[in-house]
Amino acid sequence: MRDTTSVASALILPWELLAQPFAQAASPGFQLVDVTGSSGIQFQHNSGAYGGKLLPETLGSGCAFLDYDGDGWQDILLINGMDWPGHNHQRSTLQLYRNNRDGTFTDVTHKAGLDIEMYGMGVAVGDYNNDGFPDILVTCVGQNRLFKNTGKGTFIDVTRKSGLDGRHAFSTSALWLDFDRDGLLDLFICNYVKWSSEHDVFCSLDGKHKSYCTPEAYRGETCWLFRNRGDGTFEDVTAKSGVFDSSSKSLGVAMLDYDQDGWPDLLVANDTQPNKLYRNLRNGTFKEVAVEAGLAFSADGKARAGMGVDIGDFENSGAAGITITNFDNEMIGLYRNLGNGSYEDIAVPSGVGLPSKNTLGFGCVFLDADLDGNLDLVVANGHIDETVRNIRGNVGYAQPPQLFLNEGKRQFRDVSADVGNEFHQAKVGRGLAYGDFDRDGDADILITTNNGPACLYRNDQHSGNKSIRFRLIGTQSNRDAIGAMVRIYHEGTIQSRMVKSGSSYLSQSELPVTFGLGKRDKIERVVIQWPNGKIEEYKNLAAGKSYECIEAKGITPSAGF
């Protein structure tokens, strides 16, 4: 096709040039700058692909922001795969990067004792023994691994000691939660399908050459729930808790309190199977209610290819909405909470649906990118088949991520092309997480790609909007305060955030919560509902500050985190 840009420009008359700025959409007020290289992050994901077209090669991998050394600065963890047995060409491990507090990172994988080969998929970070240092659960193809933080900058593999060994599966996303509210973090792990390299199914597009199979070629697998006994070991309560379901093909999981009873519920995104919403019955068991809640199927009654999932109060109504990424031609699901235990998919009228129709979404997060007080939506996109362009000409293998700016009144605007050329470049996106790694009060973004590099984007604000950040430390509740609800009140508006593990796809964002305040100088009050149900309230807090909240001990301004 001939480029008509220069011709069109030449036909613009002077008065039309004057009118152009008024016709253009408002600037997003921030830029996402690729600082991967300058920050010292050098990572290459290894899917193990050698031509055998083995199913797990298409799906990895995840990432996390965490403060592993407790210095108040967010570090970065990147999960890796490995070569398949008999096809060894390179050694690849996950990589842990310590924040140098100057915009750069140092690879401390070996020093931390994490230079271990495994076919890693996802990660969940949580202080399961309440010692003040975050521990790491890595989901794998095969045996998942639990690494206990020693508090001395190193980790110990406690998979066997904890009782999590002896279970081999194709595990994906995971999260920590205190489902029984006993002050100890329990563990939920998603499993995809029953698969092994020895029993890989032959699929083909032309009847001759092997291709990657769709999940319909495999039987499903149940997710797992492990209860923390408090002695360093876990009890498998999958069956007796009511979450056993061998029909699921699970890729994403998020915790939420959809019925607002103060007990954590679970939402599982399934691939080609109905999504599952597990309502916490407050007695150690769950009831699956996705159909009644309107989350199991698409609006036309079909099970979509659910990949990633996140929850967030994007309406500032006090009740969290939901997003679920799906396959191309299926659109992102964006669900508003109707307040009666059910949800409505508003993807199309909100402006999120149609721009996502030709993308295949994986990681997804709600965050206030422009700090205006409304949660925006970021999605990592990328196909699973490098030959997809030959099959569907309008769909590519590498796809640009998307950032939907929340303009209020349930309306979103795709500003992906306006926040930086580097961010908008096409990539085979998978994991996605956010964290304020430079401690300037806004959320920076980390994206992983399949069989490619990780990308770190620094959020640079230009609008003058302010934020307020809170880090919660539990004393009677779990130390990470996972499951706590934080609500701020200012000038007649309410914003809410949950401290949560998991969400997105195979990834985890930072635990501190950030609220955008626009140009406001303070908030009238913050109300914290701790995971055990206790409520604390503090008044007249200044914007542009970070506050540390210790359960039952009060709130203090912090130098940052």
Side-chain angles (χ1 to χ4, degrees):
M1 180 181 289
R2 186 168 67 96
D3 185 2
T4 59
T5 305
S6 58
V7 177
S9 299
L11 297 176
I12 296 175
L13 299 176
W15 58 84
E16 291 175 304
L17 287 171
L18 290 173
Q20 273 189 322
F22 299 97
Q24 293 174 349
S27 166
F30 67 99
Q31 289 285 295
L32 294 174
V33 181
D34 189 341
V35 295
T36 312
S38 61
S39 69
I41 292 176
Q42 298 177 339
F43 176 80
Q44 178 72 24
H45 174 245
N46 177 21
S47 71
Y50 63 91
K53 300 286 185 177
L54 302 182
L55 183 64
E57 298 167 359
T58 65
L59 293 175
S61 64
C63 58
F65 280 105
L66 73 163
D67 181 10
Y68 86 97
D69 52 1
D71 67 350
W73 293 77
Q74 292 296 317
D75 310 300
I76 286 174
L77 182 65
L78 299 166
I79 306 302
N80 213 341
M82 61 180 288
D83 288 341
W84 296 109
H87 299 274
N88 303 92
H89 302 290
Q90 59 184 309
R91 188 175 191 275
S92 53
T93 72
L94 54 75
Q95 286 179 235
L96 176 65
Y97 287 91
R98 181 175 55 80
N99 194 325
N100 295 329
R101 314 181 196 182
D102 59 2
T104 68
F105 293 81
T106 297
D107 186 341
V108 294
T109 311
H110 176 71
K111 184 178 179 180
L114 292 174
D115 54 339
I116 303 168
E117 277 199 299
M118 64 192 93
Y119 201 102
M121 293 296 295
V123 57
V125 179
D127 183 4
Y128 78 89
N129 56 358
N130 288 332
D131 67 350
F133 292 94
D135 310 298
I136 298 169
L137 184 282
V138 180
T139 62
C140 300
V141 177
Q143 175 66 60
N144 298 323
R145 309 288 281 271
L146 178 61
F147 297 97
K148 186 177 76 171
N149 192 328
T150 66
K152 300 176 182 178
T154 60
F155 291 84
I156 299 173
D157 188 337
V158 294
T159 308
R160 176 173 295 179
K161 185 177 179 181
S162 67
L164 296 177
D165 67 327
R167 296 171 176 83
H168 292 254
F170 185 168
S171 297
T172 53
S173 296
L175 60 74
W176 298 95
L177 80 163
D178 184 5
F179 79 91
D180 52 3
R181 298 205 332 186
D182 64 352
L184 300 167
L185 287 178
D186 311 301
L187 181 61
F188 186 90
I189 298 175
C190 292
N191 292 312
Y192 189 37
V193 295
K194 291 185 181 297
W195 180 90
S196 68
S197 57
E198 297 81 13
H199 300 93
D200 189 57
V201 176
F202 180 87
C203 295
S204 177
L205 296 174
D206 59 9
K208 299 178 181 179
H209 301 95
K210 192 175 189 296
S211 64
Y212 292 115
C213 295
T214 63
E216 286 95 338
Y218 299 93
R219 288 185 296 153
E221 178 72 282
T222 184
C223 298
W224 294 327
L225 179 62
F226 298 95
R227 188 182 67 83
N228 190 334
R229 293 190 178 105
D231 60 359
T233 68
F234 293 83
E235 175 193 3
D236 186 342
V237 295
T238 305
K240 72 179 183 181
S241 68
V243 302
F244 181 87
D245 176 16
S246 60
S247 69
S248 287
K249 300 175 181 179
S250 305
L251 289 174
V253 60
M255 60 180 296
L256 72 165
D257 184 8
Y258 92 100
D259 52 3
Q260 300 191 63
D261 65 351
W263 290 71
D265 310 301
L266 289 164
L267 175 62
V268 178
N270 283 321
D271 188 359
T272 70
Q273 294 293 312
N275 300 318
K276 300 297 170 68
L277 175 60
Y278 293 104
R279 180 186 177 190
N280 194 327
L281 299 181
R282 299 181 282 184
N283 61 2
T285 67
F286 292 82
K287 180 183 179 183
E288 206 286 296
V289 295
V291 173
E292 301 95 295
L295 296 171
F297 304 99
S298 66
D300 54 0
K302 296 179 180 178
R304 290 188 280 190
M307 308 289 187
V309 57
D310 197 17
I311 64 105
D313 184 7
F314 63 82
E315 292 186 87
N316 289 336
S317 65
I322 293 166
T323 188
I324 300 176
T325 55
N326 297 296
F327 214 76
D328 67 85
N329 206 37
E330 290 185 334
M331 298 191 294
I332 292 171
L334 181 67
Y335 301 87
R336 65 178 296 251
N337 193 319
L338 298 178
N340 59 358
S342 65
Y343 293 81
E344 174 190 16
D345 190 348
I346 60 168
V348 173
S350 73
V352 168
L354 293 181
S356 66
K357 188 170 184 180
N358 289 328
T359 61
L360 197 166
F362 279 92
C364 55
V365 292
F366 285 112
L367 57 84
D368 190 352
D370 57 354
L371 302 180
D372 69 345
N374 295 308
L375 283 175
D376 311 303
L377 175 62
V378 184
V379 180
N381 297 314
H383 218 280
I384 61 169
D385 189 344
E386 68 273 17
T387 65
V388 67
R389 184 74 75 181
N390 303 330
I391 304 166
R392 297 186 58 194
N394 62 337
V395 177
Y397 181 50
Q399 303 174 357
Q402 290 172 298
L403 197 158
F404 296 96
L405 206 63
N406 188 338
E407 300 189 309
K409 299 181 179 179
R410 302 170 200 151
Q411 293 298 305
F412 289 78
R413 175 167 60 99
D414 187 348
V415 298
S416 312
D418 303 322
V419 296
N421 293 331
E422 296 156 322
F423 176 78
H424 193 56
Q425 288 178 354
K427 50 184 68 73
V428 188
R430 292 294 185 265
L432 171 63
Y434 63 83
D436 184 10
F437 79 86
D438 53 359
R439 298 207 326 192
D440 64 352
D442 55 31
D444 309 300
I445 293 173
L446 181 63
I447 297 177
T448 61
T449 64
N450 183 258
N451 223 34
C455 304
L456 177 63
Y457 298 97
R458 188 185 66 219
N459 188 337
D460 289 350
Q461 297 287 320
H462 305 306
S463 65
N465 287 346
K466 302 173 183 177
S467 67
I468 189 168
R469 282 167 57 81
F470 299 94
R471 177 181 176 232
L472 276 58
I473 300 175
T475 53
Q476 289 94 41
S477 302
N478 70 85
R479 187 175 173 85
D480 285 333
I482 288 173
M485 184 64 70
V486 185
R487 294 183 174 89
I488 65 169
Y489 298 77
H490 47 271
E491 299 178 7
T493 64
I494 305 173
Q495 294 185 55
S496 65
R497 304 278 189 275
M498 175 180 274
V499 179
K500 60 185 191 294
S501 169
S503 283
S504 190
Y505 172 75
L506 306 179
S507 302
Q508 180 164 325
S509 296
E510 65 176 358
L511 290 177
V513 295
T514 303
F515 295 88
L517 300 179
K519 301 298 190 292
R520 298 178 178 91
D521 294 320
K522 68 174 184 177
I523 62 170
E524 295 164 11
R525 60 191 174 109
V526 58
V527 176
I528 300 171
Q529 181 176 329
W530 293 91
N532 62 12
K534 294 180 180 178
I535 294 176
E536 297 175 4
E537 179 177 333
Y538 304 97
K539 297 182 177 179
N540 296 320
L541 302 179
K545 301 283 187 181
S546 298
Y547 292 89
E548 186 171 83
C549 313
I550 302 178
E551 185 178 13
K553 294 185 179 180
I555 186 170
T556 56
S558 170
F561 38 75

